[in-house]
Structure formats: C-alpha cells, structure tokens
C-alpha cells in the first residue's frame, strides 16, 4: 500500500513541473506559431517573424532589453550591499529594535507595488528625478532592498560571527575582515542576493511606469504594450525574453557555486 | 619582567545584565593558567573582554605590560580561540596558518618557513594542502593552535578547547595544548572541567560569583580551597562544621586532630576523599561509622560512611565493604583544611 506522503510526492511533483514549464512551452509555441486555433494542439504554421521583429536591427525591444538589464544589475548589486549591512544590523539588534528593523524591511515587500510607486512618485519628482532612469533605479531599490534585507536577516540570524572574531584577534582590521573573511566566505549568499535584487527589478511594471513616467522603457513595459495592442506573438516573444535571462542567471549561479556550501561553524 | 596579562579590577556586563565585577588576575610570560568556573559563570565573557570582543566597563587590561583596555582586538596581541576551531573554510590548512602573517605583509619565504615550522610542531605538515572541511575535529584544533601561534601573540585565550570532544580527541588536543612551546606567550584556558585544570595548568584561577575567588597551583587549590564555595565547586566531598577553641577543632565527630590552624570560633574542616581511609586491623581509627553507599568510580571506588550526623566519603578498601558494614576511618590530619566562618564562609 502506498502511504499518503508517497502519493503526494508522486502526484504533486508533476503538477509543479507542469505549472512551471507549461506556460513557457505555450509562450514558445505562440512566439513561433501562426494560425493556431482551438482545438488544434499545435500552431498551423511556424514562422520567426516575432523574433525578427523584437530582436532585429532597429527593433524597439533592444533598448528596452538593455535598459532592463542595466537596471537589474545595478539594482541587484546595490540591493545586495544595502541588504547585507541592514540584515546584519537587524540580526544583531535585540528587543524592539529588531522588531522595528524587520518590520521596516518587510514593509516594501508586503506593500502592493502601485502603493509604493505612488508614494515614491512625489518624492522623485521633487528631487528632479521624475521620468529618469535614475528615478526608476531608486524606485526599484525600494522593494529589492526589502527582499535582500529579509534574506540577509535570515542568513545572519543563523550565522555565527565567530570567524570574524577569530580574524580580528589574529590581527585583521574591520576592512581586512570584510575583504579576506566575510566576502570570500559568503560569496554564495552575496551572489544569490544580487540575483534576488536583479529579479525584483527585472519584472517591475508599476514602479517603472510611475517613476519613469512612460519615458523610461523597459522590457516588461514593452510586453505590456504588445499585450494591450493584441499582438500576441510579439507579446509571447517579449515574455520569453523576460523569462529566459533569470533562468539562465539562476542556472549559471547554481553551476558556479555547486561546490560552495553555506558556511556554518 | 613584564607580565603576559594583567587584569586590574575589570568589570564586564553579560549583555545588558551585570556580570563580572572586580576581576583581578596576572599571568606571567610563558605561564599556563586555567580559568575554572561553572557553566554560565562568565568564562567566555571574560576571555572575549580580554581579547577586545566585549566592552570593559571599568578597570584596566594590560597585555605584555601595555594597557590595551580601549584598543581594538587586532592591536591587543591576544588571540582568542573559540570552542569550535574557526578555520576559514575557503583557505587550505597552510593558508589558514599563514593568515596572520599575510595580514602583516610578512615576506612570502619567511611566511612559508614559519608555516612549515608551526605545522610540523602540531604534526600537520602532510595535510597542509587540505581544506578544513576534510579534517577531523582534533586536526582542526591543532591547525587553529598553529594559526594562533603564527600571530605571535603575547596571550593565547582558549575558550573551552576540550568541550564537546569525545574522549579520544580530548586526549589528543590536551596533549597538544600541554606540549605547545609558549616561548614567552601566556595562555589562559577557560574550562569547567576539573581534570583539564589539573592536567593543563601551572595555576588555576577559580571564577565564582563574577569574581576570581582563588588563584593557586592545582594541588594547592584542591588541598586548601579559599572558601567553602570554592571547596563545593571543586567537588571536595568532606566538610565538617565545628568550632576552634584554643587551637583544637571540636565537631559532631568530637575532637578531630588537625595540623591546620584557624582563629577561635565557628570553623569548617574540608578534605578530599583520599584523606580518609578505612582503618586496617591494628590501626587506630579516628571515627567509626556505617557504610551507607558505595560509589563505583572507574579508577577509585569510594564509600560513604555515616558517622553520627556527619557523612564522610572515603577511599574504598579492597574488598569493597557492603552497605551496612561498620568501619573505622582514619582521617589524615595533615590534609584537613580549616575555613573560618563555617556555614556562611
């Protein structure tokens, strides 16, 4: 007789795989297919017009792709640095300081992006950063820093500071400790945080739209435009461009860090 | 000659709670001192405060004759070794040992020679290229000690280095600690284990109630504890409350012959189990009593003998008498230690 957990394992795994890969498979087919009508299982004809349109010379997705990439990398790196220091500080705090710190980190994650965007809009306009890529970068940092701070709060809560203490008494100053001990030992966590921050930025719509005032064009905004215009093939192609880079980044990170474990004493 | 360490009335909090107060201690160059205290007494806090990892509220810490109370950890000349050897997992064994010298930008060939010497001294030369994750617990401790010595410290601060090791590893690490050539470096080893204290220490400092209660060589400490509290912590089992009157100790056991002296008044006599033996035939017993319990220690079985209202622990003779047997006990008068004040001392 098969026990319930085994049934659950056998039944849930295919559902999980299906829910993860089915949308991607459909997007792939839509991006290269034409004349696909119900109840046909596959498109009637295959053509690469969509891909040529979005990636060809002079295509409007190219600058959007570059803007999204630059924003994602910049946001990921900045959010990692901020999150590492903030998470460490909150993890070492006690009592109400810890509660308030964790709450502050959680707020931009929990708040709907539109609410955050509206709140930021007036501030960015006042600072002369409205409708600029710098303004969008700052707007993306808000939720990204929330995620990375929460991530590092978890990391530093379980991680002992014994390695850093050992290094200090062996003669390392604060900067030497960060450079020679903390960064090399935490490279897995640091890279994961960069990826986390970059993914948060990569998929932003509301914050980009409000902070960029429609003038800063990123890939998600272009995909939204294609969808609104009913251009399904272009929307599917753009969506794949949105989905593939994070998956590749995740895979590369996994491969690069396959022998690096999280360090606990 | 300067001391390796001098603590002058230092006070350190346990987090936000009051902790250590008025801790005074000196350690000579090349001396091994064991800081003996029960769990939670503040051993780790004191070591971390000496290393500069905890703030000192008042008093003065001097290392190598230099006041360092307000100096950062890296410039104190004291290396703190955590209970778990904190070897850097991204560096191999040789690079771990070289770490303090790299920080000081010592020339590469000088560093390489010193690392080779230190690894040889802890019998780890053949594992120089291994990562810490592939070493046994004992090997990690040895590398941590070599790394600490590579920093050329004036003080080594070892926090429970033998705790959480199985008996085999314990023996291995104990031998490494006992054989380490200190060359003028002072060593302070925190432990709650009495055996470690006896085996490793030139002197033992007992930390009780946030203060150093006594500092003495282990043999002296166990024979002449400064207070009843120290005696109880050391596990000295025999204590007889009584009174000194004109140089004679009177107790519930009658007049007990003692060589130690104490002022007239309330007094307690304390002594170890090996000071009490069962009288052989023809030998004159100090007191008589009934065996009420047998303790089957691995090496030295002992018996608990009720003598009136007093229970005494004595070394068990062979064959071990069964409970209910009446025996005569001889108490070695030269090792009875008198503590004025009795109950409240």
């Amino acid at each position: 007789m098969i026990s319930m957990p085994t049934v659950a394992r056998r039944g849930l795994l295919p559902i999980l795989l299906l829910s993860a890969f089915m949308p991607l498979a459909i997007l792939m087919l839509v991006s290269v297919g034409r004349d696909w009508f119900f109840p046909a299982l596959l498109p009637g004809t295959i053509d690469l017009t969509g891909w040529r349109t979005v990636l060809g010379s002079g295509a409007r997705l190219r600058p959007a792709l570059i803007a999204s990439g630059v924003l994602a990398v910049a946001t990921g790196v900045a959010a990692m640095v901020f999150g590492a220091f903030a998470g460490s500080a909150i993890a070492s705090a006690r009592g109400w300081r810890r509660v308030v710190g964790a709450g502050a980190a959680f707020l931009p994650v929990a708040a709907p992006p539109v609410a955050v965007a509206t709140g930021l809009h007036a501030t960015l306009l006042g600072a002369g950063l409205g409708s600029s890529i710098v303004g969008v970068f700052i707007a993306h940092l808000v939720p990204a820093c929330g995620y990375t701070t929460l991530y590092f709060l978890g990391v530093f809560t379980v991680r002992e500071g014994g390695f850093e203490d050992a290094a200090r008494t062996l003669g390392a100053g604060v900067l030497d400790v960060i450079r020679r001990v903390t960064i090399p030992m935490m490279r897995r966590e640091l890279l994961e945080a960069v990826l986390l921050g970059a993914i948060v930025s990569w998929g932003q719509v509301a914050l980009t739209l409000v902070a960029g005032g429609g003038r800063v064009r990123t890939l998600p905004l272009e995909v939204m435009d294609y969808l609104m215009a009913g251009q399904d093939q272009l929307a599917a192609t753009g969506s794949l461009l949105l989905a593939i880079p994070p998956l590749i980044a995740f895979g590369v990170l996994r491969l690069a860090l396959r022998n690096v474990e999280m360090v606990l004493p | 000659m300067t001391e390796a360490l001098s603590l002058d009335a230092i006070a350190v909090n346990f987090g936000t709670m009051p902790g250590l107060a008025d801790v005074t201690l000196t350690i000579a160059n090349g001396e091994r001192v064991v800081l003996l205290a029960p769990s939670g007494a503040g051993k780790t806090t004191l070591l971390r405060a000496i290393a500069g990892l905890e703030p000192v509220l008042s008093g003065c810490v001097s290392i190598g004759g230099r006041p360092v109370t307000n100096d950062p950890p890296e410039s104190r000349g004291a290396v703190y070794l955590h209970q778990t050897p904190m070897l850097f997992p991204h560096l191999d064994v040789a690079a771990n040992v070289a770490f303090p010298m790299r920080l000081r930008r010592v020339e590469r060939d000088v560093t390489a020679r010193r690392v080779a010497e230190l690894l040889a001294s802890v019998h780890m030369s053949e594992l120089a290229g291994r990562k810490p994750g592939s070493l046994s617990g004992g090997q990690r401790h040895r590398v941590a000690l070599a790394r600490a010595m590579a920093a050329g410290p004036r003080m080594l601060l070892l926090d429970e280095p033998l705790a959480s090791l199985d008996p085999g590893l314990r023996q291995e690490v104990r031998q490494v600690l006992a054989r380490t050539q200190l060359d003028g470096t002072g060593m302070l080893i925190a432990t709650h284990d009495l055996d470690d204290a006896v085996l490793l220490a030139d002197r033992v400092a007992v930390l009780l109630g946030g203060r150093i209660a006594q500092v003495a060589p282990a043999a002296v400490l166990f024979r002449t504890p400064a207070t009843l509290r120290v005696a109880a912590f050391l596990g000295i089992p025999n204590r007889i409350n009584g009174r000194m009157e004109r140089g004679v100790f009177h107790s519930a056991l009658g007049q007990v012959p003692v060589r130690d002296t104490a002022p007239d008044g309330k007094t307690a006599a304390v002594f170890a189990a090996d000071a009490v033996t069962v009288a052989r035939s023809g030998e004159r017993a100090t007191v008589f009593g009934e065996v009420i319990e047998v303790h089957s220690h691995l090496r030295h079985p002992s018996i608990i003998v009720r003598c009136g209202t007093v229970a005494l622990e004595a070394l068990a003779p062979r064959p071990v008498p069964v409970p209910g047997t009446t025996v005569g006990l001889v108490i070695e008068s030269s090792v009875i230690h008198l503590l004025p004040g009795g109950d409240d001392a």
Side-chain angles (χ1 to χ4, degrees), chain A residues 160-174 176-177 179-182 184-185 187 263 265, chain B residues 48 51 53 72-74 78-80 82 84-90 99-100 102-105 147-148 151:
Chain A
E160 266 198 58
F163 293 105
E164 280 79 4
D165 287 348
R168 289 295 301 274
T169 68
L170 286 167
V174 175
D176 269 325
V177 169
R179 189 165 69 89
R180 295 172 185 267
V181 179
T182 309
M185 280 179 60
R187 64 184 193 276
V263 175
Chain B
R48 288 177 61 82
L53 299 168
E74 62 269 25
V79 174
Y80 171 75
H82 194 274
T84 313
M86 293 287 177
L87 299 181
F88 306 128
H90 58 291
F99 183 85
R102 295 255 163 84
L103 291 170
R104 291 172 179 80
R105 296 188 170 76
R147 184 178 66 178

Side-chain angles (χ1 to χ4, degrees), chain A residues 210-230:
Chain A
V210 176
R215 284 162 63 181
V216 177
R217 303 300 297 175
T218 60
L219 197 55
L221 292 192
E222 298 295 353
V223 172
M224 289 296 290
D225 274 1
Y226 286 133
L227 268 177
M228 307 287 269

Side-chain angles (χ1 to χ4, degrees), chain A residues 145-182:
Chain A
C145 287
Y147 279 108
T148 53
T149 301
L150 287 178
Y151 173 76
F152 279 110
L153 173 58
V155 169
F156 284 110
T157 298
V158 297
R159 185 177 187 273
E160 266 198 58
F163 293 105
E164 280 79 4
D165 287 348
R168 289 295 301 274
T169 68
L170 286 167
V174 175
L175 292 178
D176 269 325
V177 169
I178 293 173
R179 189 165 69 89
R180 295 172 185 267
V181 179
T182 309

Side-chain angles (χ1 to χ4, degrees), chain B residues 260-276:
Chain B
D260 197 9
T261 55
D264 282 2
K266 211 171 174 185
T267 304
V270 293
F271 45 98
D274 60 8
V276 189

Side-chain angles (χ1 to χ4, degrees), chain A residues 16-17 118 120 166 171 184-185 229:
Chain A
L16 185 66
L17 290 173
T118 309
L120 276 169
M185 280 179 60

Side-chain angles (χ1 to χ4, degrees), chain A residues 30-52:
Chain A
V30 174
S31 74
V32 296
R34 276 183 185 280
D35 309 324
W36 193 6
F37 302 110
F38 185 81
L41 280 176
L42 293 169
T45 52
I46 299 290
D47 84 301
L48 297 174
T49 312
W51 285 97
R52 276 196 292 271

